[in-house]
Amino acid sequence: MRGPIPNKDKLMTPISRSARLALCAGLMLGLTSQAAQAVDHSFSNGFKFQETTGEAIFQGVCQGCHMPQGQGAVGAGAYPALAGNPRLASKVYPAFMVVNGNKAMPSFGAMFDDDQVAAVANYVRSHFGNNYTDQVTPAEVKALRPKKPAASE
Amino acid sequence: MSGAGIGSMSRRELLMMIGAAAGSSVAYRAMASLDMVPESDYKGPIKLEGDPKGASVLILGAGLAGLVAALELRKAGYKVQVLEYNQRVGGRNWTLRGGDSYTELGGFEQKCEFDPGLYLNPGPWRLPYHHNAILDYCKRLGVVLEPFNQVNYNAYLHSSKAFGGKPQRYRHIQADFNGGVAELLAKSTKQKKMDQLVTKEDREILLESLKGWGALENDYTYRMGLESSGRRGYDHDPNGGTIGKPVPSKPISIDEILKSGLWRYLVHGHIYEFQTTLFQPVGGMDMISKAFAREVGDAVRFNCKVTAIKQDGHKVTATYVDAKTGGAPTQVSADWCLCTIPASVLSQIDLDVSAPMHDAINALPYEASIKVGLQAKRRFWEQDESIYGGVTFTDLPNNMIGYPNTGYFGSGKGVLLGAYTFGPNAYEFTALSPQERVKKAIEFGAQIHPQYKDEIENGIAVGWHRVPWILGCAGAWTEEKRKQHYDNICRIDGRVLLAGEHVSYIPAWQEGAITSSLNAISRLHQRVVNG
């Protein structure tokens, strides 16, 4: 599907300072930011995300806001860093946020099933310098869902 | 897709489907319509009568809501000052042109390489004829408008899973869907299967109307012939002289249309917001904010990142720092504050308001959306395919291809809207680097227009969750959230009140921002004048 791109160099934009920093950080972790950002992730079909592994979900969805190395970002408002975020000490915390959202973070409960939420929560708790070993289970995720599905049925 | 009727869909899926077909704002509009909420009831220029006696208003945000408030309040005798995070006015009323650079969150910088005169409106791009407030401001401020084609019968509907992935002309699907449905209904009517539903007298009228609506033949069938080709077009168009005789085209059968799923896109031009006539400003959407800037630009202080909004019984004080360098905080006070900062950002600011208003602000994340603009070396959609403006819809993740509604028949370059996506695919696009988004939009678009491979030469991509000053495209209201929070987000909370598209029942529309602002300043003015 990927045809040759005319004037490819014209499509490329200069890598910004912070992206370069992210790239360096990635190399130190044995990852490359380029790989994370240039990943040819597939697009979902329909109204639910189809990525299944924690890595695929993070790269396909979460890094849009939380950034390729989980470093977060700051503008007029901010996206919190996941790298070294002490709130991740609770295995339920990231799963709850994904399901229910908070402030600028939308709720993704309707777009992910319990397995996907558990997978990505466990992924962020074991990457980006986070080394938590306990895992949230899909059953625990299920319990985090609102009693009455919010505005969905 | 034909098996998945609306009955088997959740309400959310239905709304998402409408969003996918017509733009997410329509989905929200559909939600709003379930609440039986009236449309914009703008009745001409606002009249703020009575003396504000030197009262001052601090306006936070120089998007359309803030600009309208600055203009009207100053005219009514208020002292106004506006703080803006960006170095320009407009907010989402925004146009990217050649030479512009845009840095999104994460530090990813893009330089727009469009030729002079070409542009992308990354945010709003169209003005419905009944959005009276914004149209009136365009008129009053001398913003020249031109038609925006929503429906183009010669553009495409495309499914990667139907017709071998070959795009279908809108007019074919539209005519054949109507014709096929009309034939089915006529058949049922004639077989008296409708007798429970239609009186004997109405039966004949119904048959007649189906015939006219669906382009049926005298025997109430929809088939290849001059009737159907009068709607869907011909294999050889009627013409002059010796070669003038038309050759009809062959309709697509109704079961093939149903299975293709392409019928889902037919709704878009029937939705109130997308009905003819729509408009766009000549030269780019930001012509509107630039016109406002000519009136009130002197009241705007740029580059201000608001960090706190405090109030007491007498005044409101905002604290801000330089948006780029941070540095020492500065404070500015006024009698009142009209805050148009998006809820996604405002929820992170130290804000002195009541708990119910806090709850409302915190409950409102912003939707995902992305747009990609692509510059082509030539207007191949016009030259090769007779597509002049309008929109092609696809089930591929780019969702839409928008053709420029201006500069027709130009021999130079042109800029396409190469993707306009909501929902999961918008998050997925946003998670890519800008250059990958452009590459993807080209890859998807090439499945509809093979010319892309040779003709597209550069592009620019805006994923709204990475826009530093908003964190999303528009307030994500649900029916439930409205019930719980809408009244509270509208209240005058001590000396603070909010405005913007997120304080309206038409989120994502500029009309929502403007009417919300006019409503807020009217209520504020009443309070000020009446004490």
Side-chain angles (χ1 to χ4, degrees):
Chain A
M1 277 305 159
R2 178 183 286 179
I5 311 267
N7 294 334
K8 192 175 177 188
D9 55 322
K10 279 198 166 183
L11 291 170
M12 305 304 281
T13 52
I15 299 177
S16 68
R17 186 170 165 273
S18 55
R20 278 198 302 272
L21 289 174
L23 178 63
C24 296
L27 288 168
M28 283 187 290
L29 290 167
L31 303 160
T32 73
S33 167
Q34 282 301 0
Q37 272 289 265
V39 66
D40 189 12
H41 70 227
S42 54
F43 283 84
S44 301
N45 182 12
F47 313 115
K48 291 178 192 296
F49 288 109
Q50 290 169 329
E51 293 85 354
T52 52
T53 67
E55 182 181 34
I57 293 168
F58 182 82
Q59 291 184 354
V61 187
C62 313
Q63 72 174 5
C65 295
H66 293 284
M67 298 296 146
Q69 300 305 323
Q71 72 270 36
V74 180
Y79 292 127
L82 303 175
N85 187 330
R87 291 182 174 179
L88 297 177
S90 156
K91 66 177 184 178
V92 170
Y93 178 81
F96 181 89
M97 286 297 161
V98 172
V99 169
N100 297 296
N102 180 46
K103 297 185 174 177
M105 171 136 175
S107 62
F108 288 89
M111 290 185 258
F112 285 128
D113 65 24
D114 298 336
D115 289 335
Q116 288 170 306
V117 174
V120 76
N122 292 328
Y123 178 81
V124 300
R125 295 183 74 244
S126 57
H127 288 77
F128 316 120
N130 302 315
N131 295 304
Y132 302 103
T133 51
D134 56 327
Q135 300 226 320
V136 70
T137 66
E140 288 166 329
V141 171
K142 194 185 175 82
L144 299 172
R145 290 184 180 274
K147 296 277 179 300
K148 197 179 64 169
S152 89
E153 304 306 325
Chain B
M1 286 313 296
S2 59
I6 277 170
S8 66
M9 271 180 178
S10 75
R11 181 185 171 82
R12 185 178 176 85
E13 282 169 338
L14 171 63
L15 290 165
M16 288 284 282
M17 188 185 102
I18 296 171
S24 65
S25 49
V26 173
Y28 317 143
R29 173 66 202 126
M31 287 180 190
S33 73
L34 299 169
D35 289 345
M36 306 294 285
V37 173
E39 280 293 332
S40 162
D41 57 358
Y42 180 80
K43 297 281 190 295
I46 191 171
K47 292 185 185 70
L48 299 176
E49 282 158 358
D51 186 0
K53 299 182 196 81
S56 57
V57 180
L58 176 63
I59 298 167
L60 303 179
L64 288 190
L67 292 169
V68 162
L71 180 88
E72 300 295 356
L73 288 173
R74 195 152 82 171
K75 199 186 284 176
Y78 288 84
K79 286 182 266 187
V80 300
Q81 185 174 357
V82 187
L83 300 184
E84 167 56 43
Y85 177 82
N86 286 313
Q87 283 178 296
R88 58 168 183 87
V89 297
R92 281 163 278 179
N93 180 283
W94 182 26
T95 300
L96 285 166
R97 300 181 179 82
D100 290 344
S101 63
Y102 162 57
T103 304
E104 65 182 33
L105 287 174
F108 300 93
E109 188 186 355
Q110 298 178 83
K111 201 162 181 318
C112 185
E113 299 183 14
F114 297 160
D115 270 23
L118 304 180
Y119 63 84
L120 169 73
N121 293 322
W125 56 322
R126 50 196 163 185
L127 312 173
Y129 73 88
H130 50 80
H131 280 188
N132 298 319
I134 191 158
L135 293 178
D136 194 39
Y137 278 102
C138 288
K139 204 162 83 183
R140 284 158 63 189
L141 300 176
V143 178
V144 183
L145 302 178
E146 62 191 342
F148 173 99
N149 294 341
Q150 177 66 44
V151 179
N152 180 338
Y153 277 66
N154 210 40
Y156 297 116
L157 302 180
H158 173 253
S159 166
S160 54
K161 300 174 207 73
F163 302 107
K166 190 174 176 289
Q168 304 296 303
R169 297 285 188 181
Y170 178 93
R171 61 186 152 84
H172 290 163
I173 301 300
Q174 204 263 357
D176 298 348
F177 178 78
N178 286 2
V181 170
E183 181 183 306
L184 286 173
L185 279 172
K187 204 174 279 176
S188 304
T189 306
K190 285 172 63 179
Q191 291 171 354
K192 303 195 188 307
K193 287 175 184 161
M194 306 286 272
D195 284 8
Q196 299 283 316
L197 304 170
V198 189
T199 64
K200 216 171 186 178
E201 301 79 64
D202 286 352
R203 194 200 299 157
E204 291 312 310
I205 304 172
L206 176 62
L207 281 169
E208 195 55 31
S209 69
L210 288 170
K211 196 170 144 192
W213 173 60
L216 306 183
E217 301 285 348
N218 285 332
D219 62 358
Y220 298 98
T221 59
Y222 180 75
R223 60 174 191 263
M224 184 168 167
L226 294 179
E227 279 298 326
S228 58
S229 285
R231 305 286 169 92
R232 69 192 314 284
Y234 306 79
D235 274 354
H236 176 75
D237 280 3
N239 220 315
T242 55
I243 54 159
K245 191 178 178 188
V247 178
S249 60
K250 187 170 183 283
I252 303 162
S253 71
I254 187 67
D255 55 306
E256 207 175 344
I257 299 232
L258 291 175
K259 283 191 189 80
S260 77
L262 292 182
W263 46 265
R264 73 180 60 247
Y265 302 113
L266 295 174
V267 65
H268 72 272
H270 298 298
I271 292 166
Y272 187 38
E273 257 96 11
F274 300 128
Q275 290 171 11
T276 303
T277 304
L278 294 98
F279 298 96
Q280 64 182 18
V282 173
M285 188 55 81
D286 69 352
M287 291 299 168
I288 298 175
S289 46
K290 284 179 169 162
F292 273 102
R294 286 194 288 274
E295 305 287 325
V296 294
D298 58 306
V300 182
R301 184 171 300 182
F302 295 99
N303 243 344
C304 300
K305 174 174 169 170
V306 174
T307 57
I309 303 164
K310 297 288 182 183
Q311 59 171 320
D312 58 27
H314 308 285
K315 63 180 193 306
V316 185
T317 302
T319 304
Y320 63 92
V321 296
D322 186 290
K324 293 227 159 55
T325 58
T330 308
Q331 292 193 328
V332 55
S333 294
D335 299 324
W336 304 91
C337 174
L338 181 76
C339 178
T340 73
I341 296 173
S344 48
V345 173
L346 190 58
S347 62
Q348 305 183 37
I349 290 174
D350 182 10
L351 170 68
D352 232 0
V353 291
S354 67
M357 189 181 255
H358 264 298
D359 290 347
I361 294 162
N362 290 345
L364 197 60
Y366 278 40
E367 297 282 356
S369 171
I370 68 111
K371 273 189 181 178
V372 178
L374 301 173
Q375 176 165 291
K377 292 181 211 160
R378 64 183 183 93
R379 299 170 74 103
F380 58 82
W381 52 93
E382 296 183 354
Q383 294 158 7
D384 304 351
E385 293 161 282
S386 300
I387 296 172
Y388 303 96
V391 181
T392 278
F393 287 93
T394 173
D395 68 342
L396 295 172
N398 59 325
N399 193 37
M400 291 184 208
I401 296 173
Y403 308 94
N405 297 293
T406 194
Y408 301 114
F409 304 105
S411 57
K413 298 176 180 183
V415 166
L416 291 168
L417 175 66
Y420 185 16
T421 301
F422 316 96
N425 287 162
Y427 286 105
E428 289 165 331
F429 257 113
T430 305
L432 295 170
S433 67
Q435 58 267 39
E436 279 289 323
R437 288 175 216 147
V438 170
K439 206 161 137 186
K440 283 288 174 190
I442 294 172
E443 191 181 306
F444 295 130
Q447 297 181 44
I448 296 164
H449 295 287
Q451 301 98 316
Y452 264 46
K453 293 194 172 80
D454 297 321
E455 307 292 356
I456 302 295
E457 54 182 9
N458 65 62
I460 193 161
V462 175
W464 278 90
H465 269 117
R466 278 199 187 169
V467 175
W469 36 272
I470 181 158
L471 316 181
C473 79
W477 285 104
T478 61
E479 210 178 336
E480 202 168 279
K481 286 184 179 186
R482 283 230 187 256
K483 267 189 212 137
Q484 220 181 330
H485 298 296
Y486 187 74
D487 289 349
N488 293 329
I489 210 167
C490 290
R491 65 198 283 168
I492 301 179
D493 203 294
R495 294 181 164 270
V496 175
L497 73 171
L498 310 187
E501 57 79 24
H502 57 296
V503 192
S504 82
Y505 270 90
I506 39 175
W509 288 97
Q510 297 176 108
E511 185 76 357
I514 293 182
T515 53
S516 142
S517 181
L518 292 173
N519 176 262
I521 63 174
S522 301
R523 288 183 287 124
L524 175 64
H525 184 66
Q526 283 307 309
R527 180 74 66 89
V528 169
V529 170
N530 298 331

